[in-house]
């Protein structure tokens, strides 16, 4: 048997890790000894493009190092499976060792960890079978027998007699959609920040960054500290000293607020919380009560999420304010309420919850939507207050601070949400209108943020006049062949710009991906696009079944070609995850295990 893994970023390595993990099994070794493994990556073998080891150290991870691993659960057979944090602590290289004890490390450090793990796994696997590594792009796949495939590389080389193929292509570049700007305004498309041509921006440029999510922080960091600017601390606040190489930076988004920060971590990697309200039992019970297989997200699922967040918020608030007896009594009382109705008045009075009862997630996401902002200065006063409060909340921690604890629960319950999405629990129209177009952005805003230091840097850059943030709903106008950006709230406050940076990554649909292999497979009908949501104008990723085997244009399953990770977004959900969590059987691990179990059982 010959198998090919195309892509050796985290998803590709997760497949290799499952092979490595199974080596103590004698039956598995027998199958492995009859297998040749081909590994391909067009960017960097052992880490891929996003985690390449040559990128700037000012680009940070957004997950703490102790919660990151490429390995399966290490409890079994004393399996050596260091987390990123453990690997850093044991490193001899001083350039790696200097990050010991630091939660949020540079992405290139994760890339080095991946490469180190990759090489260790390959060395062990190579004791039992041949492993062939190729740092080249696979551009085409052809089937010429019942279970025989040929691969063609960018150089024209053809490899034959491949029996199983895993497409682990990760983040490809997105097709550069041309903006309709005339001369005078340079456009830079959204991409991994390390691959955006930001070096072409001079200090004389006035740039506008569209979107203030995670990409915004990367772009901001690259154009400031990445150009020699220095942040230093004064009375627990950051001050920015410009290098003079920075451009003038304006930023804006729908909400008008940079993505809020993650709370300081107070949870170990084994921390596990199951929802009291938002859980599969309650969701299935709702289906039974309504006598339906499909639920309305806004009416049937969102209330459970809100009650879960309220419960965590109040629980932490009461724990701080009262004694343990009242805390335990509250947990019992609150967990028994009906989540689809308002909090009973007797519970509000008993625990003095009235002033805390209204948690409107949409208003937190877009606090200015109903505001009558009279001026840019008024907007900035409100914005700075929100940012400073968020930093304060983050520094208290994701257990001690009620706000950060309550929003962090949605990270803990993400697998529940994934389950109901991937098993089509939600009516199509509600999934699009209530979830994709509305709640998904709110969820990301509340749970996917950067470390608090990034928001401190934003404050410092605003105060140093390097960064200007405009109120929500930006507009572009052209006057005398020059372009200006402004908020619809403050039409008089216009800012000259000559570079427009798209800080929003496009939906990872099959049609948007600039990937020659997927394009060729799509043309031939070997793969097809997930079409469930076409009628709503939503383009899909590569269509796969629950075993991650691809589905062709005739609707037939190809049992020998698998696709994992980001290319499958839409049939699957939240595929951007690039690691597992130590000692947890995460979806990241489960998906890789599905593929290896299927491949090797095929030759049982």
């Amino acid at each position: 048997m010959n198998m090919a893994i195309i892509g050796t970023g985290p998803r590709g390595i997760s497949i290799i890790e499952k092979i490595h993990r199974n080596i103590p099994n004698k039956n598995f070794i027998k199958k492995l000894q009859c297998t040749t493994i081909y590994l391909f990556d067009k960017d960097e073998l052992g880490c891929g493009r996003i985690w390449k080891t040559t990128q700037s150290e000012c680009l940070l991870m957004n997950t703490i190092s102790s919660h990151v691993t490429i390995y399966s659960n290490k409890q079994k057979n004393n399996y050596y499976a260091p987390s990123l944090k453990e690997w850093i602590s044991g490193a001899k290289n001083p350039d790696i060792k200097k990050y010991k004890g630091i939660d949020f490390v540079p992405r290139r450090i994760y890339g080095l960890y991946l490469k180190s793990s990759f090489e260790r796994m390959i060395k062990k696997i190579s004791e039992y079978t041949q492993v062939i590594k190729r740092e080249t792009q696979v551009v085409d796949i052809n089937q010429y027998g019942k279970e025989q495939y040929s691969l063609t590389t960018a150089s024209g080389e053809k490899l034959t007699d491949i029996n199983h193929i895993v497409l682990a292509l990760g983040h490809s570049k997105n097709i550069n959609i041309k903006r309709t700007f005339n001369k005078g305004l340079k456009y830079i498309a959204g991409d991994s920040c390390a691959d955006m041509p930001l070096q072409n921006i001079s200090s004389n440029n006035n740039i506008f960054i569209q979107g203030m999510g995670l990409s915004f922080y990367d772009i901001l960091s690259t154009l400031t500290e990445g150009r020699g600017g220095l942040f230093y601390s004064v009375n627990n606040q950051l001050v920015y000293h410009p290098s003079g190489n920075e451009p003038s930076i304006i930023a804006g988004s729908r909400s008008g607020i940079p993505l809020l920060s993650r709370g300081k971590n107070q949870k170990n990697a084994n921390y596990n919380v199951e929802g009291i309200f938002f859980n599969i039992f309650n969701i299935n019970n709702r289906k039974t009560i309504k006598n339906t297989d499909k639920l309305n997200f806004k009416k049937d699922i969102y209330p459970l999420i809100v009650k879960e967040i309220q419960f965590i918020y109040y629980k932490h608030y009461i724990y701080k304010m009262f004694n343990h007896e009242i805390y335990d009594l509250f947990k019992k009382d609150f967990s028994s309420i009906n989540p689809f109705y308002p909090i009973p008045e007797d519970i509000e009075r008993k625990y003095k919850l009235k002033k805390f009862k209204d948690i409107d997630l949409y208003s937190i996401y877009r606090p200015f939507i109903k505001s009558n902002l009279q001026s840019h200065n008024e907007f900035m006063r409100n914005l700075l207050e929100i940012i400073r409060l968020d930093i304060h909340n983050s520094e208290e921690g994701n257990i001690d601070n009620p706000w950060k604890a309550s929003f962090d629960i949605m990270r803990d319950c993400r697998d529940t949400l994934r389950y109901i999405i991937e098993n089509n629990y939600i009516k199509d129209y509600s999934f699009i209108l209530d979830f994709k177009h509305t709640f998904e952005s709110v969820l990301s805003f509340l749970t996917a943020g950067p470390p608090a230091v990034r928001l401190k840097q934003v404050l410092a850059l605003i105060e140093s006049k390097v960064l200007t943030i405009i109120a929500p709903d930006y507009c572009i106008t052209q006057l005398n062949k020059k372009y200006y950006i402004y908020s619809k709230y403050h039409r008089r406050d216009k800012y000259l710009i000559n570079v427009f940076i798209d800080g929003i990554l496009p939906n990872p649909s099959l049609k948007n991906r600039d990937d020659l292999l997927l394009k060729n497979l799509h043309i031939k009908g070997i793969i097809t696009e997930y079409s469930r949501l076409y009628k709503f104008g939503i383009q899909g990723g590569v269509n796969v079944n629950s075993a991650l085997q691809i589905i062709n244009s005739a609707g037939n399953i190809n049992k020998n070609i698998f696709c994992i990770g980001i290319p499958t977004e839409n049939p699957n959900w939240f595929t951007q995850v690039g690691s597992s969590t130590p000692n947890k059987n995460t979806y990241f691990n489960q998906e890789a295990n599905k593929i290896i179990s299927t491949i090797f059982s095929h030759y049982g």
Side-chain angles (χ1 to χ4, degrees), residues 315-509:
K315 183 178 77 168
H316 285 76
Y317 163 73
I318 286 172
Y319 185 81
K320 290 179 72 173
M321 298 296 292
F322 302 105
N323 61 41
H324 288 280
E325 255 181 53
I326 292 179
Y327 170 73
D328 292 337
L329 187 60
F330 166 78
K331 284 199 297 184
K332 181 180 178 181
D333 285 348
F334 198 91
S335 61
S336 66
I337 70 173
N338 187 323
F340 296 97
Y341 290 93
I343 300 170
E345 289 184 6
D346 60 326
I347 289 183
E348 281 183 13
R349 288 194 302 270
K350 185 175 181 180
Y351 299 103
K352 302 177 182 176
L353 300 182
K354 192 167 185 178
K355 60 185 282 192
F356 301 103
K357 73 174 182 176
D358 296 320
I359 296 179
D360 184 348
L361 303 183
Y362 298 99
S363 292
I364 295 170
Y365 171 53
R366 299 195 69 179
F368 300 115
I369 197 166
K370 295 179 182 179
S371 300
N372 182 21
L373 301 169
Q374 296 297 317
S375 67
H376 174 73
N377 287 339
E378 181 187 355
F379 163 71
M380 286 305 300
R381 282 195 298 272
N382 283 273
L383 175 62
L384 293 177
E385 183 179 335
I386 290 170
I387 291 174
R388 289 184 178 118
L389 178 60
D390 186 68
I391 292 170
H392 167 78
N393 289 337
S394 292
E395 290 184 333
E396 282 197 344
N398 60 2
I399 289 179
D400 289 346
N401 181 267
W403 280 108
K404 292 303 174 181
S406 62
F407 296 141
D408 218 47
I409 189 63
M410 288 314 300
R411 295 179 64 85
D412 298 323
C413 294
R414 190 178 279 154
D415 282 352
T416 301
L417 192 54
R418 179 186 280 110
Y419 181 87
I420 65 175
I421 290 171
E422 293 185 359
N423 288 279
N424 296 337
Y425 272 45
I426 307 171
K427 294 176 181 178
D428 286 356
Y429 76 89
S430 180
F431 180 67
I432 295 301
L433 298 177
D434 301 326
F435 183 79
K436 292 293 287 184
H437 287 173
T438 309
F439 185 72
E440 193 170 41
S441 297
V442 177
L443 181 67
S444 176
F445 183 78
L446 295 176
T447 65
V453 66
R454 288 304 201 198
L455 271 181
K456 288 185 175 183
Q457 290 174 350
V458 165
L459 281 180
L461 290 169
I462 290 172
E463 290 169 358
S464 69
K465 310 298 184 186
V466 171
L467 171 66
T468 299
I469 295 177
I470 61 174
D473 299 323
Y474 76 86
C475 305
I476 294 178
T477 189
Q478 187 179 19
L479 298 171
N480 300 322
K481 298 182 179 181
K482 294 182 179 180
Y483 288 90
Y484 295 84
I485 197 88
Y486 63 93
S487 165
K488 73 174 186 179
Y489 289 95
H490 310 131
R491 297 179 183 274
R492 293 182 180 180
D493 296 314
K494 294 182 173 66
Y495 301 89
L496 175 68
I497 59 170
N498 47 34
V499 179
F500 184 104
I501 300 177
D502 195 342
I504 302 173
L505 294 178
N507 177 44
S509 69

Side-chain angles (χ1 to χ4, degrees), residues 181-195:
F181 300 136
N182 297 322
K183 289 182 179 179
L185 185 58
K186 178 180 176 65
Y187 173 70
I188 297 177
D191 194 7
S192 170
C193 182
D195 290 319

